[in-house]
Amino acid sequence: ILNVEQSPQSLHVQEGDSTNFTCSFPSSNFYALHWYRWETAKSPEALFVMTLNGDEKKKGRISATLNTKEGYSYLYIKGSQPEDSATYLCAFMLDSWGKLQFGSGTQVVVTP
Amino acid sequence: DTEVTQTPKHLVMGMTNKKSLKCEQHMGHRAMYWYKQKAKKPPELMFVYSYEKLSINESVPSRFSPECPNSSLLNLHLHALQPEDSALYLCASSQWRGQGNTEAFFGQGTRLTVV
């Protein structure tokens, strides 16, 4: 089992503030790095699939960067809204079969 | 339709029972997965099916028996489970492009309690 670590474990953010958090993963044998958003009582929803070193992806107010050489990815939320409250999971793709090794997640709570 | 549907949403079963979890997708995905998530832990992969064939079994005990009857359906048959098997069971599917770098679509999960 490879170590995929996320920090911090949880974040409390005021509405309107921006925030970011980290996923670190093994820097060898890289296939892809996934980000998922998981709201309570819903399905995990894919945000980004990142494959290339230096990748930057954006979806609305959420963006992510990838550094495969040093083994980390950042997720940024700009101008947080209450609907951004969720657990954000990163997942390291272990092989071409699609095996995902998940981090423990960062729980984000946005308060009005 | 970008949904993965899992039934039932909740299941309570005794240690001598036999039950099945069902998962369905109509996105034409040829890779399907079962994950298990214990409280406050990340999801852990159990099985991978590609083109209806079992590709990966992550050393899961035989009391869990997966089945993929066709390209849209994935079942997980449960028999003689233990209380420590209580968890959220998630099904997922993805397109198969050989590189494995496509997003997974998840169901809402089945919350299983073994008594």
Side-chain angles (χ1 to χ4, degrees), chain A residues 4-111:
Chain A
V4 179
E5 295 182 355
Q6 292 188 246
S7 63
Q9 212 169 7
S10 64
L11 275 176
H12 283 77
V13 186
Q14 282 292 119
E15 183 176 356
D17 286 352
S18 296
T19 189
N20 65 84
F21 37 94
T22 312
C23 172
S24 63
F25 52 85
S27 55
S28 57
N29 297 324
F30 180 84
Y31 277 87
L33 194 282
H34 292 208
W35 281 101
Y36 292 86
R37 174 170 57 200
W38 197 355
E39 296 178 64
T40 304
K42 294 190 176 180
S43 316
E45 174 198 1
L47 289 172
F48 306 113
V49 176
M50 309 184 79
T51 56
L52 297 174
N53 185 42
D55 248 357
E56 289 188 27
K57 298 221 172 183
K58 189 175 179 184
K59 184 184 275 193
R61 293 177 293 97
I62 301 178
S63 60
T65 60
L66 179 69
N67 183 324
T68 60
K69 293 188 188 322
E70 295 181 42
Y72 64 83
S73 175
Y74 291 126
L75 193 90
Y76 300 88
I77 305 176
K78 186 178 176 182
S80 303
Q81 300 296 309
E83 58 264 31
D84 296 326
S85 297
T87 296
Y88 291 81
L89 291 165
C90 70
F92 179 72
M93 183 157 278
L94 291 160
D95 56 30
S96 60
W97 291 104
K99 284 173 62 172
L100 294 175
Q101 180 80 41
F102 281 89
S104 296
T106 294
Q107 184 181 23
V108 174
V109 177
V110 182
T111 49

Side-chain angles (χ1 to χ4, degrees), chain A residues 1 31-32 34 36 38 41-47 49 51 89 93 95-105, chain B residues 4 31 33 35 37 40-43 45 48 50 55-56 58 88 90 96 98-108:
Chain A
I1 295 179
Y31 277 87
H34 292 208
Y36 292 86
W38 197 355
K42 294 190 176 180
S43 316
E45 174 198 1
L47 289 172
V49 176
T51 56
L89 291 165
M93 183 157 278
D95 56 30
S96 60
W97 291 104
K99 284 173 62 172
L100 294 175
Q101 180 80 41
F102 281 89
S104 296
Chain B
V4 175
Y33 312 83
Y35 285 85
Q37 194 208 18
K40 299 193 188 300
K41 299 281 188 184
L45 183 69
V48 179
S50 61
S55 304
I56 295 174
E58 290 287 280
L88 181 70
L90 288 163
W96 185 255
Q99 292 300 311
N101 57 358
T102 57
E103 65 191 296
F105 289 77
F106 284 85
Q108 283 189 281

Side-chain angles (χ1 to χ4, degrees), chain B:
Chain B
D1 182 5
T2 58
E3 274 195 1
V4 175
T5 304
Q6 287 188 245
T7 55
K9 286 191 167 36
H10 300 273
L11 179 62
V12 179
M13 62 184 289
M15 289 189 282
T16 58
N17 289 161
K18 283 186 184 181
K19 296 285 184 184
S20 296
L21 309 185
K22 296 187 184 304
C23 174
E24 192 168 359
Q25 57 87 13
H26 295 288
M27 294 177 277
H29 291 170
R30 303 312 293 271
M32 296 186 77
Y33 312 83
W34 281 114
Y35 285 85
K36 173 181 177 178
Q37 194 208 18
K38 302 277 282 181
K40 299 193 188 300
K41 299 281 188 184
E44 291 181 355
L45 183 69
M46 300 174 72
F47 302 104
V48 179
Y49 272 82
S50 61
Y51 288 87
E52 295 93 70
K53 287 187 172 21
L54 182 63
S55 304
I56 295 174
N57 175 342
E58 290 287 280
S59 303
V60 179
S62 59
R63 58 186 185 268
F64 295 91
S65 175
E67 179 199 17
C68 190
N70 61 55
S71 59
S72 299
L73 291 173
L74 186 66
N75 298 323
L76 186 62
H77 302 298
L78 314 172
H79 174 53
L81 294 194
Q82 303 297 309
E84 58 264 29
D85 296 320
S86 299
L88 181 70
Y89 289 84
L90 288 163
C91 173
S93 70
S94 67
Q95 291 185 15
W96 185 255
R97 293 188 185 150
Q99 292 300 311
N101 57 358
T102 57
E103 65 191 296
F105 289 77
F106 284 85
Q108 283 189 281
T110 293
R111 176 75 60 189
L112 174 68
T113 304
V114 182
V115 297

